[in-house]
Amino acid sequence: MSSWDKYWENNTGGEVFVSSEGQKNTELEELWRKFFHRKQNLIKKKTKVLDIASGAGSIFSSIDNSENFNLYALDGSGEALEKLKTQMPYVNVLKYKFDEYATKDIYYDIIVSQFGIEYSGKEYFRKIGELLSDEGSFKLIVHKSGSMIDKRTQQEIDCINLLNDTEFFDLAKKLIKLDNDNIEYKNVFEQFTSIEPLIFNNLSSYKNSILNQGYYGFRQLYSNQERYYKKDILTWLNNLEYEKDISYSRLLSMSKATINLQDINKIKHDLYSSGLRDVEVSDFNISRADGVLPLAWEISGNK
Ligand SMILES: C[S@@+](CC[C@H](N)C(=O)[O-])C[C@H]1O[C@@H](n2cnc3c(N)ncnc32)[C@H](O)[C@@H]1O
């Protein structure tokens, strides 16, 4: 199972980018709501819309006049599309990797993507020119280097690197498996207490990070171990370690997908040379109590 399938299997709300309370981001929802409202007034026929790397349908769930559109959601994860289909059965789903998707008989009037197209690789933006109908238009929200999402991703990657470098899980499991009077126990205990300050000093500001879950969770289980079966503590450690490894590959793919200014110039050039026009790039920022924060690049244009 791919790391995205695993992610969607465990995701209950159908959204990737949510507030600390788990709520859908209102600024993004508003962006898409307004975008589709404007399109509805401009286009007469039943407009074909493609969402690239749709996930469970965050963009389409923001449209409040969806009956005016013929909606197509493309994603590499079957789990994501199944989730989408349960909530929006009227959407056509296409289970493809965008880099492998090809069609001869269908052109889309509108192409959209939210934290999606960039996962295929920067060289695939030009495919929009091939898939868009004449007079069609596109809008993309893509990961931006230095954004709040990028900073959080880097922070989570650093947390996982620290768990790996310190061999936290191996040591924690040995501490549980070995009896206190075992000759090796003292050695493992010393190793664990030598890495503990390193972990403690790097606890993440993000309270749900795997580092925080591992550190606080294990501390609680270890100090109360007489109340638990050893096998239950070991299962907890194994599950969290598995989650760490699955998250790691997803986080690395997010980091790789992030677009910097140099990439933007190349992408703009590619979009123009694939027959598109009026290509515009701007910052998509959100306002929070601590100021205006960069969230993504907003890229739009026409054919
Ligand atoms: C960050 S999520 C965004 C999902 C959705 N657009 C949203 O905003 O909630 C990235 C999505 O890209 C999909 N994905 C990753 N690589 C892909 C590829 N090469 N082709 C198609 N989808 C891909 C994943 O399955 C995942 O659903």
Side-chain angles (χ1 to χ4, degrees):
M1 180 178 263
S2 80
S3 61
W4 278 111
D5 275 331
K6 186 77 200 155
Y7 174 84
W8 286 116
E9 192 188 54
N10 293 331
N11 178 302
T12 43
E15 295 283 335
V16 178
F17 181 59
V18 288
S19 68
S20 49
E21 293 79 39
Q23 298 302 312
K24 182 171 178 152
N25 178 272
T26 48
E27 287 98 336
L28 283 172
E29 185 172 25
E30 192 57 12
L31 170 97
W32 294 116
R33 208 180 59 75
K34 283 189 179 152
F35 175 77
F36 284 100
H37 253 283
R38 281 196 305 272
K39 292 294 170 199
Q40 177 204 327
N41 298 333
L42 293 175
I43 298 169
K44 308 252 175 334
K45 65 185 161 64
K46 196 152 170 151
T47 306
K48 285 197 199 74
V49 186
L50 175 68
D51 178 1
I52 301 166
S54 62
S58 176
I59 296 184
F60 288 167
S61 68
S62 308
I63 308 179
D64 44 29
N65 50 343
S66 51
E67 65 285 357
N68 295 319
F69 301 96
N70 201 354
L71 302 174
Y72 292 81
L74 178 146
D75 200 283
S77 160
E79 290 285 337
L81 295 175
E82 257 177 50
K83 201 153 247 159
L84 184 150
K85 236 1 207 180
T86 12
Q87 284 165 24
M88 291 175 274
Y90 49 86
V91 173
N92 306 288
V93 295
L94 303 163
K95 188 186 171 309
Y96 286 101
K97 287 187 159 193
F98 180 59
D99 28 305
E100 292 167 4
Y101 176 62
T103 170
K104 286 200 178 64
D105 50 0
I106 189 164
Y107 292 97
Y108 299 94
D109 307 298
I110 298 175
I111 294 184
V112 291
S113 183
Q114 172 179 287
F115 303 125
I117 183 172
E118 61 273 41
Y119 285 89
S120 285
K122 289 145 198 154
E123 62 279 27
Y124 287 95
F125 281 74
R126 59 166 59 246
K127 270 184 91 165
I128 294 176
E130 293 162 27
L131 295 170
L132 212 51
S133 63
D134 291 342
E135 311 297 319
S137 60
F138 68 94
K139 187 181 276 295
L140 317 168
I141 290 289
V142 301
H143 285 303
K144 177 180 181 180
S145 53
S147 70
M148 56 185 285
I149 296 179
D150 185 34
K151 285 186 184 151
R152 160 85 68 83
T153 305
Q154 295 309 328
Q155 199 182 21
E156 289 187 62
I157 290 174
D158 290 346
C159 286
I160 295 181
N161 282 337
L162 184 61
L163 287 170
N164 290 344
D165 293 348
T166 55
E167 298 180 14
F168 172 86
F169 283 100
D170 276 354
L171 291 173
K173 281 187 253 180
K174 277 186 191 155
L175 275 185
I176 297 300
K177 278 183 201 157
L178 295 170
D179 293 324
N180 292 11
D181 52 4
N182 185 300
I183 191 151
E184 219 194 309
Y185 180 84
K186 188 166 167 280
N187 188 12
V188 175
F189 185 79
E190 274 169 12
Q191 279 183 62
F192 192 83
T193 45
S194 76
I195 64 151
E196 209 183 346
L198 205 57
I199 302 227
F200 182 79
N201 291 334
N202 284 285
L203 283 172
S204 168
S205 55
Y206 170 48
K207 68 179 188 320
N208 286 330
S209 83
I210 299 261
L211 188 72
N212 294 35
Q213 287 181 48
Y215 178 76
Y216 288 118
F218 182 65
R219 208 174 68 165
Q220 198 270 339
L221 291 169
Y222 183 72
S223 50
N224 296 297
Q225 57 183 301
E226 67 288 347
R227 291 199 223 149
Y228 303 99
Y229 291 115
K230 278 189 183 211
K231 73 170 177 31
D232 290 340
I233 303 183
L234 291 170
T235 303
W236 183 85
L237 283 165
N238 282 331
N239 288 345
L240 194 63
E241 189 176 24
Y242 176 67
E243 199 184 307
K244 164 189 75 86
D245 293 336
I246 288 281
S247 304
Y248 197 51
S249 60
R250 185 175 49 79
L251 290 162
L252 290 179
S253 78
M254 282 176 76
S255 175
K256 193 165 162 232
T258 299
I259 305 288
N260 62 28
L261 190 57
Q262 206 181 345
D263 301 324
I264 277 289
N265 291 330
K266 170 89 175 59
I267 288 167
K268 240 176 139 171
H269 172 270
D270 286 356
L271 290 170
Y272 273 119
S273 58
S274 71
L276 299 165
R277 59 188 171 84
D278 316 324
V279 178
E280 280 180 19
V281 179
S282 57
D283 291 328
F284 185 78
N285 298 322
I286 54 173
S287 300
R288 288 290 175 269
D290 46 347
V292 174
L293 304 172
L295 185 73
W297 297 108
E298 181 177 339
I299 310 175
S300 56
N302 302 308
K303 185 160 177 183

